[in-house]
Amino acid sequence: MNREKIIVIDFGGQYNQLVARRVRECSVYCEIYSYKTDISAIRAMNPKGIILTGGPNSCYEDGAPTCSRELFEMGIPVLGLCYGAQLMMHVLGGHVCKAPVREYGKIEVTVDRTSKLFSDVSEKTICWMSHNDYIEKTAPGFRTVAWTDNCPAAAMECAEKQLYAIQFHPEVLHTVEGTKMLSNFVYNVCGCSGDWKMDAFVEQSIRAIREKVGDGRVLCALSGGVDSSVAAVLLSKAVGKQLTCVFVDHGLLRKNEGDEVEAVFGPTGDYDLNFIRVNAQERYYKKLAGAEEPEKKRKIIGEEFIRVFEEEAKKIGRVDFLVQGTIYPDVVESGLGGESAVIKSHHNVGGLPEHVDFKEIIEPLRDLFKDEVRKVGLELGIPEYLVFRQPFPGPGLGVRIIGEVTAEKVRIVQDADAIFREEIATAGYDRKINQYFAALTNMRSVGVMGDERTYDYAVALRAVSTVDFMTAEAVEIPWEVLQKVMSRVINEVKGVNRVVYDLTSKPPGTIEME
Ligand code: GLN
């Protein structure tokens, strides 16, 4: 596949993935690599352009991440962002030092629109700044093409060598015309044609999968989540009945979810594949009895999944390939792609079935960001409610039930959650809130209902808005909606006599991720 590509060199900035996502939004494929990557490896990738990210260090300090001068002399266009901009100046003979005034936040920048970077950008434009150091003197051969009151060199270029540097962060949405600037770089400077389109991705993937699989047999663990659903459909389009999907209903799914998954992927659904549903509810409840610690529950659920999956695989017989719904952030965050610290160990790593013999793993979504997975899903005709499903944690309701998990508690939280979701949708809030659900606290208290004493559970409602799942705010749901949910939950769900709304933001709280 001869896809054009931009390479992001990561200096540990918090926005490294964002840079790649924005470039891809411009229909240009983009990958992230650590600044330690060998220059010859970079050259071998034959990128159309290179982008250097921001980073927490000061480039003039000993031991700060750096790059060789050669990077700027390969004839490949380079764009430095923030730390990357400072580093470019530092390496090429400019001067970077602590700024007399640090800049942080949205700041008006004046740009020279004769620069290719800023064509069609407003002369005065709001940009996101976040730096303590500044470029006191640009490197020889560079001209300044943007500035602010406190930052005399907010962007610079050496057009004949195709080198560009920006002190602010065009990848952050607070930089109002940032995507325009990145698009100017990849199209006007790097000369990209824009061949990263999801319909082409689908076609190419199907072809590549067919070639790889041949007449082999493929096994896929289907969870009903976005990633595994999209991966399964892609495989099904490529190899049809050579694919078997095993869907383990662990009894910790949302209300009716098991049936919904079966309706889409099962024999009466739309896809050409073998579908096996394993109803393992009782088995899981038995294993979970007595476990109260969240980590312990996670572990039991994960291990049991592997066991069930292995048993099913054995019944199928020969398996040549195993499908995994790994996506690009998993790759980057497990330390393989970028420079950011290992934030979480990839949920699949360490969770592979040991007793299934297979030749190879197929990860058809390994190059995609979540929003791209969704686009592929729509391209493949997967129902919207599945494609835009909220993130749902792997251990399911097991972690939304505080304390021991029992069938009774699962019923309570399923019913309460279904009511909450229904009312949020009726109120028209479902697409405005990124994630919302009911959890079951382990707290019981005395109440009175119909003149009788009750001693029942408290349900907690959680609803957050977040852009990137790194930070989140509790959503201001109208009082009437909350009241309606409260009264329905108390009336319709036996075992509950109290409903509370969780106001905690992240940090200090956390939110769930898939
Ligand atoms: N550490 C550098 C500074 O403070 C770069 C910051 C950044 O890349 N955001 O100026």
Side-chain angles (χ1 to χ4, degrees), residues 5-25:
K5 137 159 56 158
I6 296 282
I7 284 183
V8 169
I9 305 222
D10 185 6
F11 288 92
Q14 51 181 325
Y15 306 127
N16 57 5
Q17 293 195 27
L18 224 42
V19 178
R21 267 173 60 191
R22 295 281 170 266
V23 170
R24 291 192 190 188
E25 276 166 23

Side-chain angles (χ1 to χ4, degrees), residues 14 16 46 54 90 138 141 184 204 232 248 250 264 288 305 340-341 349 366 392 399 408 433 449 453 498 504:
Q14 51 181 325
N16 57 5
N46 194 23
H90 179 73
T138 56
N184 283 342
Q204 287 165 353
V248 178
H250 51 23
V264 174
L288 282 165
F305 175 80
S340 55
V349 172
R366 199 182 156 85
F392 186 63
V399 291
E408 163 78 354
I433 306 177
M449 243 191 269
R453 178 188 187 275
R498 200 172 285 267
T504 325

Side-chain angles (χ1 to χ4, degrees), residues 250-254 257 298 301 392-401 413 512:
H250 51 23
L252 303 164
L253 298 166
R254 287 171 290 194
E257 201 162 43
R298 273 177 216 276
I301 296 167
F392 186 63
L397 300 179
V399 291
R400 289 184 184 173
I401 292 168
V413 80
E512 295 177 339

Side-chain angles (χ1 to χ4, degrees), residues 275-304:
F275 177 83
I276 298 173
R277 174 175 178 171
V278 189
N279 288 312
Q281 294 91 329
E282 293 312 320
R283 205 172 145 162
Y284 272 87
Y285 298 154
K286 238 181 240 148
K287 283 269 174 200
L288 282 165
E292 291 180 1
E293 279 285 302
E295 275 314 307
K296 179 146 192 229
K297 290 190 286 183
R298 273 177 216 276
K299 212 160 160 232
I300 293 173
I301 296 167
E303 281 173 2
E304 198 55 17

Side-chain angles (χ1 to χ4, degrees), residues 423-470:
E423 291 302 328
I424 288 288
T426 309
Y429 270 75
D430 46 343
R431 285 281 178 101
K432 292 186 200 136
I433 306 177
N434 299 97
Q435 199 183 25
Y436 54 99
F437 57 87
L440 186 61
T441 74
N442 209 13
M443 183 186 81
R444 295 170 85 186
S445 62
V446 175
V448 53
M449 243 191 269
D451 287 340
E452 256 180 69
R453 178 188 187 275
T454 58
Y455 183 60
D456 285 334
Y457 285 108
V459 159
L461 306 177
R462 178 86 164 132
V464 294
S465 67
T466 172
V467 179
D468 48 12
F469 285 84
M470 303 299 250

Side-chain angles (χ1 to χ4, degrees), residues 302-333:
E303 281 173 2
E304 198 55 17
F305 175 80
I306 304 278
R307 296 291 91 79
V308 175
F309 189 69
E310 283 173 349
E311 286 172 25
E312 290 308 315
K314 225 172 263 156
K315 289 184 208 158
I316 297 165
R318 193 187 100 207
V319 173
D320 301 296
F321 300 92
L322 195 66
V323 182
Q324 296 246 293
T326 317
I327 67 173
Y328 195 53
D330 300 327
V331 175
V332 175
E333 283 164 25

Side-chain angles (χ1 to χ4, degrees), residues 53-58 81-84 86 130-134 167 169:
T53 73
N57 301 78
S58 291
L81 304 178
C82 205
Y83 183 84
Q86 297 167 356
S130 167
H131 62 117
N132 298 307
D133 298 327
Y134 84 140
Q167 177 61 74
H169 289 277

Side-chain angles (χ1 to χ4, degrees), residues 220-504:
C220 173
L222 187 69
S223 70
V226 185
D227 303 339
S228 73
S229 299
V230 172
V233 173
L234 207 47
L235 260 300
S236 139
K237 301 256 176 193
V239 300
K241 287 253 175 344
Q242 285 163 257
L243 169 70
T244 300
C245 287
V246 173
F247 167 59
V248 178
D249 187 340
H250 51 23
L252 303 164
L253 298 166
R254 287 171 290 194
K255 193 171 181 178
N256 300 331
E257 201 162 43
D259 296 341
E260 282 168 16
V261 171
E262 184 168 351
V264 174
F265 293 98
T268 57
D270 293 334
Y271 302 110
D272 185 26
L273 50 84
N274 299 304
F275 177 83
I276 298 173
R277 174 175 178 171
V278 189
N279 288 312
Q281 294 91 329
E282 293 312 320
R283 205 172 145 162
Y284 272 87
Y285 298 154
K286 238 181 240 148
K287 283 269 174 200
L288 282 165
E292 291 180 1
E293 279 285 302
E295 275 314 307
K296 179 146 192 229
K297 290 190 286 183
R298 273 177 216 276
K299 212 160 160 232
I300 293 173
I301 296 167
E303 281 173 2
E304 198 55 17
F305 175 80
I306 304 278
R307 296 291 91 79
V308 175
F309 189 69
E310 283 173 349
E311 286 172 25
E312 290 308 315
K314 225 172 263 156
K315 289 184 208 158
I316 297 165
R318 193 187 100 207
V319 173
D320 301 296
F321 300 92
L322 195 66
V323 182
Q324 296 246 293
T326 317
I327 67 173
Y328 195 53
D330 300 327
V331 175
V332 175
E333 283 164 25
S334 48
L336 298 175
E339 191 42 43
S340 55
V342 178
I343 299 165
K344 56 166 189 191
S345 55
H346 173 33
H347 51 84
N348 290 325
V349 172
L352 278 179
E354 301 149 32
H355 305 291
V356 180
D357 280 330
F358 56 91
K359 273 199 291 214
E360 222 176 311
I361 291 181
I362 300 184
E363 297 176 309
L365 312 176
R366 199 182 156 85
D367 291 338
L368 305 189
F369 284 110
K370 194 79 178 188
D371 44 342
E372 294 172 324
V373 174
R374 294 208 162 96
K375 278 190 205 145
V376 169
L378 293 178
E379 199 65 48
L380 289 167
I382 301 177
E384 282 203 19
Y385 73 86
L386 261 181
V387 170
F388 291 102
R389 225 179 76 138
Q390 297 182 45
F392 186 63
L397 300 179
V399 291
R400 289 184 184 173
I401 292 168
I402 315 297
E404 189 188 17
V405 175
T406 63
E408 163 78 354
K409 284 180 171 176
V410 170
R411 176 197 54 84
I412 292 177
V413 80
Q414 277 181 339
D415 288 347
D417 184 68
I419 291 170
F420 187 32
R421 283 192 286 144
E422 203 178 300
E423 291 302 328
I424 288 288
T426 309
Y429 270 75
D430 46 343
R431 285 281 178 101
K432 292 186 200 136
I433 306 177
N434 299 97
Q435 199 183 25
Y436 54 99
F437 57 87
L440 186 61
T441 74
N442 209 13
M443 183 186 81
R444 295 170 85 186
S445 62
V446 175
V448 53
M449 243 191 269
D451 287 340
E452 256 180 69
R453 178 188 187 275
T454 58
Y455 183 60
D456 285 334
Y457 285 108
V459 159
L461 306 177
R462 178 86 164 132
V464 294
S465 67
T466 172
V467 179
D468 48 12
F469 285 84
M470 303 299 250
T471 61
E473 297 292 331
V475 176
E476 267 185 59
I477 297 175
W479 189 245
E480 315 81 73
V481 179
L482 285 175
Q483 287 255 300
K484 178 95 186 281
V485 176
M486 177 275 293
S487 105
R488 280 195 60 195
V489 169
I490 302 238
N491 281 303
E492 296 171 33
V493 187
K494 205 171 147 274
V496 179
N497 68 355
R498 200 172 285 267
V499 175
V500 298
Y501 186 59
D502 185 351
L503 293 175
T504 325

